[in-house]
Amino acid sequence: MRAARWVMKPVVEDFNFFLAMWFINCGVTWGYLVGCFYLDNNWDHGLRCLALGTFVSYFLTLGLHMSRKRTIRIAYKSIIYFLVIMLEATYIFVNLNFEMGIGARMFTLLAETNKGEASEFISTYAFATPSLVTYGIVVAIIIVVALAERLRKWLDKAAHNKVMKIVLTVLLLPFILCGAYYSHNYVRMAICKHSKDLSNWVADFGTNALDNVSSVIYSFSYLSTSKADVAQAIEVARKVYKTPIEITEPDSLNVVMVFGESYIKSHASLYGYKLNTTPYLIKERNRGNLIVFNDMVTPYNATSQVQKNFFSLNDMTKNEFWYEKPMFATVFRHAGYKVFIWDMQREYQKTELYTITVNAFLYNDSIAKLSYDEMSSIPFKYDGQMIADFKDHSKVPPGKYNLYIFHLKGQHVNPQYRYPKGKGFAVFTADSIHRSEPWLTKEMKSYIAHYDNATLYNDAVMKSIFDIWRDKNTVVIYLPDHGDEAYDFRDHCGRQGGTRADPDYFHCDNDVPFMVWCSDTFIANHPEMVQQMRDAVDRKGISLDVSIMLLRLAGIKTQYYDASRDISSPQYKSKKRIVYDRYDYDEVVNKAKEKPKSKK
């Protein structure tokens, strides 16, 4: 009993502070437990997170208890209140706006955001309804903290009551001790060397750690393991040049890989959208040059996750991580291709935070020397400007075999900034959006119109790419990293965090257009391959395997090619399409088709 009193002394002595910390740190967890009561699941996870939140609150209170000088206590309280409230405010903001928590993905998205995108982000989300709710909740939290400080003497007096001490000990001590035990997970995180180790930790403990401290520590562990991941990726790239490889294509050949951004498949008239957003692509399809695949899914809705796993030739169904297999660009260059990459989202600043982004992988100095002959070097406002710059200012002459990689901005973030005004692309307005949902405002319709205009501009950019190589032996592959939301089925734009097994979310964020354009020369030279692609348009595909298909289109014979992963190959084998590392896409979508659709 004496030991219990000793442990509980900080809580009793600074009860008002502990209560405020516990309210902030465990508020979300209590909401989660209420949900468990109604849904009857994940009780163990909720209680474990409550224990960790209670221990963190106790630990912070212990720090205050050990501070005896009044000035130090005031400074300590001010700093802790500020940090904890800001952390909780961040969690609430990203949760309400994007349905994601504080974590590695949030840090990655921050790392991928430049100054221009940041201003667009603020203009889009600062006064959105979820953001206003966030501000209200934060104000409520500040009021609660102020009340706790205002009632400090009364609360401390109540906590010193003999009966109250017993009640607090009985209710809190088990959670404090359990939380202290579970805190060993922080040590496990600290010793993870690679992302695969961290993934194993997630499998044991779970990413939905509802206390923000766990989420932040996990994020910084992700930063450190990412450094080791890049180091291993460098070694893997070097080993490529020790593997046998050959090109079976007798004629000169250009392979063009166009990587789009934030393209909602259902907004393309090519796929049945009512507004004519893809006139050039439809024309190419009708001419017989464009092969349009109907069922391609991307496993994530974050550029970094998709790109690292797309550029790498790893097989995620075998639990291979991106840094364990080489980039397709490295294999192309080893085979004898000249490789060019023009990237609208390339970043030059290599800070600690950027080591977790895709740019630290694609543009690592060692990997770049082994993978590219020429890279874009200046930023551009619009995608068309980047294509024109490549056409007019590329300094490296093409070879017999060439791989061109273009990473567009597409419809990314705020689509009104993705197309030039007054040049035939500002075609659609709010009046063009003939929808009648009661929650759909004129401002929302304007956003949708901007998105459709950006899609129309994307169509023109693709035409400009086709025109460069129309009279040469060329194959062009177009695939975006992920989709987006543009008020398609609810009052929301942007991406959500992949936290729900909901077909509406999947159709917006994970259904992506995928197409292959073949020049007349390529069609004449490869009639059997072209016919096999046409026969494959209704197959179920996962976007990360398209990089394997590139090897076949390029005529590259290498140990890294796997016909069972190539959607265009007769040996292709369809596998489960897992999205966000946990949901079976087809299972979720098919279940939704079997029952009446609920009203949103």
Side-chain angles (χ1 to χ4, degrees):
M1 194 63 185
R2 181 178 297 177
R5 286 199 299 268
W6 180 78
V7 172
M8 292 298 296
K9 188 176 181 180
V11 175
V12 173
E13 294 293 329
D14 291 290
F15 184 57
N16 72 306
F17 183 77
F18 173 83
L19 205 59
M21 290 296 100
W22 197 67
F23 170 76
I24 298 171
N25 287 317
C26 299
V28 174
T29 306
W30 276 114
Y32 182 87
L33 286 169
V34 170
C36 290
F37 178 79
Y38 286 103
L39 299 175
D40 194 26
N41 63 358
N42 285 335
W43 279 96
D44 57 336
H45 181 68
L47 291 173
R48 182 167 49 184
C49 290
L50 181 61
L52 271 170
T54 303
F55 173 72
V56 168
S57 302
Y58 173 82
F59 186 80
L60 294 174
T61 306
L62 180 62
L64 179 65
H65 179 70
M66 295 173 65
S67 305
R68 294 301 177 186
K69 290 186 178 181
R70 185 172 181 274
T71 53
I72 295 177
R73 285 174 62 86
I74 293 174
Y76 180 88
K77 275 188 174 184
S78 301
I79 293 171
I80 296 300
Y81 276 140
F82 175 78
L83 292 176
V84 171
I85 291 173
M86 287 300 297
L87 194 60
E88 187 67 8
T90 302
Y91 171 84
I92 296 169
F93 181 87
V94 299
N95 187 267
L96 291 182
N97 277 287
F98 312 109
E99 296 191 10
M100 57 187 272
I102 295 173
R105 180 169 175 261
M106 188 190 80
F107 279 78
T108 303
L109 291 174
L110 286 174
E112 292 171 347
T113 303
N114 56 38
K115 291 181 180 179
E117 291 175 341
S119 63
E120 293 174 19
F121 177 88
I122 292 171
S123 65
T124 302
Y125 292 104
F127 298 104
T129 300
S131 300
L132 296 177
V133 173
T134 299
Y135 306 149
I137 294 174
V138 172
V139 169
I141 290 174
I142 293 172
I143 290 173
V144 170
V145 169
L147 284 173
E149 286 298 312
R150 182 76 174 178
L151 301 174
R152 179 177 60 83
K153 292 182 179 179
W154 183 84
L155 289 171
D156 288 351
K157 183 178 179 181
H160 280 82
N161 180 276
K162 188 175 182 179
V163 175
M164 188 63 172
K165 284 183 181 180
I166 296 173
V167 171
L168 290 175
T169 301
V170 171
L171 292 178
L172 296 176
L173 188 58
F175 285 101
I176 292 172
L177 295 178
C178 287
Y181 169 75
Y182 285 125
S183 65
H184 77 275
N185 285 285
Y186 301 151
V187 178
R188 282 189 58 195
M189 278 191 279
I191 63 176
C192 289
K193 293 182 179 180
H194 285 284
S195 294
K196 183 172 285 189
D197 303 324
L198 203 55
S199 180
N200 292 332
W201 177 88
V202 169
D204 292 338
F205 186 75
T207 52
N208 294 325
L210 299 173
D211 66 297
N212 291 328
V213 173
S214 292
S215 299
V216 170
I217 293 176
Y218 172 82
S219 301
F220 282 100
S221 296
Y222 191 95
L223 294 176
S224 63
T225 58
S226 293
K227 291 181 182 179
D229 294 347
V230 172
Q232 183 168 338
I234 294 170
E235 293 304 311
V236 168
R238 288 170 178 162
K239 289 179 182 178
V240 169
Y241 282 80
K242 298 178 182 180
T243 64
I245 199 166
E246 64 176 293
I247 299 176
T248 59
E249 172 69 35
D251 192 7
S252 59
L253 177 63
N254 301 297
V255 178
V256 185
M257 179 65 228
V258 184
F259 207 62
E261 269 282 359
S262 303
Y263 199 139
I264 308 171
K265 176 182 172 182
S266 59
H267 280 250
S269 52
L270 188 68
Y271 286 96
Y273 190 54
K274 292 182 179 179
L275 298 182
N276 190 13
T277 55
T278 58
Y280 292 119
L281 292 177
I282 290 175
K283 184 177 180 180
E284 295 297 326
R285 182 190 62 187
N286 294 341
R287 288 184 71 248
N289 294 88
L290 188 69
I291 302 169
V292 182
F293 288 76
N294 298 315
D295 198 356
M296 185 60 67
V297 168
T298 183
Y300 305 107
N301 62 2
T303 301
S304 61
Q305 287 176 293
V306 174
Q307 271 202 281
K308 283 190 287 191
N309 288 285
F310 174 81
F311 274 81
S312 172
L313 295 170
N314 63 306
D315 185 351
M316 293 184 67
T317 65
K318 296 180 180 178
N319 199 33
E320 291 177 349
F321 279 63
W322 59 269
Y323 54 84
E324 296 178 315
K325 293 293 180 180
M327 285 204 303
F328 69 83
T330 312
V331 176
F332 268 78
R333 195 160 187 265
H334 172 45
Y337 272 75
K338 283 193 174 182
V339 181
F340 304 78
I341 183 167
W342 253 247
D343 189 348
M344 283 289 285
Q345 297 194 49
R346 180 182 175 187
E347 298 287 353
Y348 295 97
Q349 295 81 11
K350 295 182 179 179
T351 65
E352 290 296 312
L353 193 54
Y354 276 78
T355 59
I356 68 172
T357 67
V358 66
N359 294 326
F361 172 40
L362 293 183
Y363 299 112
N364 173 273
D365 290 340
S366 298
I367 293 176
K369 288 177 182 178
L370 297 169
S371 305
Y372 315 123
D373 290 274
E374 188 176 13
M375 300 177 286
S376 59
S377 58
I378 58 175
F380 307 94
K381 186 175 182 180
Y382 300 117
D383 290 337
Q385 294 172 338
M386 181 185 72
I387 303 303
D389 177 80
F390 163 77
K391 184 179 178 182
D392 298 335
H393 300 111
S394 176
K395 298 177 181 178
V396 176
K400 181 179 181 180
Y401 305 109
N402 304 285
L403 170 65
Y404 301 97
I405 303 170
F406 296 111
H407 183 194
L408 308 180
K409 206 63 172 284
Q411 296 90 312
H412 190 47
V413 186
N414 196 330
Q416 69 173 308
Y417 301 111
R418 296 294 160 253
Y419 64 95
K421 310 303 185 291
K423 293 188 178 182
F425 301 112
V427 173
F428 307 114
T429 66
D431 294 334
S432 306
I433 310 303
H434 301 299
R435 289 170 51 189
S436 57
E437 293 92 328
W439 49 264
L440 196 61
T441 66
K442 188 171 182 178
E443 289 74 19
M444 294 176 187
K445 289 184 177 181
S446 293
Y447 182 95
I448 298 169
H450 285 307
Y451 188 93
D452 292 341
N453 286 329
T455 305
L456 180 66
Y457 179 62
N458 189 86
D459 181 71
V461 171
M462 291 307 299
K463 178 184 181 296
S464 69
I465 292 173
F466 299 154
D467 288 345
I468 294 174
W469 289 284
R470 192 175 292 277
D471 60 347
K472 298 179 177 64
N473 188 31
T474 303
V475 59
V476 180
I477 300 88
Y478 177 82
L479 178 74
D481 53 357
H482 52 74
D484 224 330
E485 277 189 59
Y487 303 107
D488 292 273
F489 67 97
R490 60 171 182 159
D491 180 2
H492 182 77
C493 64
R495 284 167 274 162
Q496 57 94 21
T499 56
R500 291 186 186 179
D502 188 306
D504 286 324
Y505 290 85
F506 290 174
H507 290 321
C508 289
D509 284 14
N510 301 94
D511 285 6
V512 290
F514 171 50
M515 59 201 77
V516 179
W517 181 88
C518 306
S519 68
D520 292 338
T521 304
F522 187 89
I523 294 173
N525 290 351
H526 305 87
E528 184 178 2
M529 185 186 297
V530 172
Q531 186 58 49
Q532 287 174 350
M533 284 193 286
R534 287 173 176 157
D535 292 340
V537 294
D538 290 322
R539 289 176 180 169
K540 297 180 184 295
I542 192 84
S543 65
L544 303 187
D545 284 347
V546 171
S547 56
I548 295 293
M549 179 182 174
L550 289 174
L551 298 174
R552 183 187 185 215
L553 293 174
I556 295 176
K557 191 175 181 180
T558 171
Q559 68 186 49
Y560 299 109
Y561 177 73
D562 181 356
S564 69
R565 296 175 59 195
D566 178 359
I567 196 170
S568 70
S569 169
Q571 286 79 45
Y572 177 71
K573 294 180 181 178
S574 181
K575 304 180 181 71
K576 281 187 177 181
R577 299 190 289 184
I578 304 300
V579 296
Y580 307 111
D581 299 321
R582 54 185 140 171
Y583 304 126
D584 184 327
Y585 173 92
D586 295 295
E587 182 180 299
V588 171
V589 171
N590 290 336
K591 279 185 179 179
K593 290 178 180 178
E594 294 170 1
K595 59 183 180 180
K597 189 173 182 181
S598 60
K599 293 181 179 180
K600 295 290 177 183

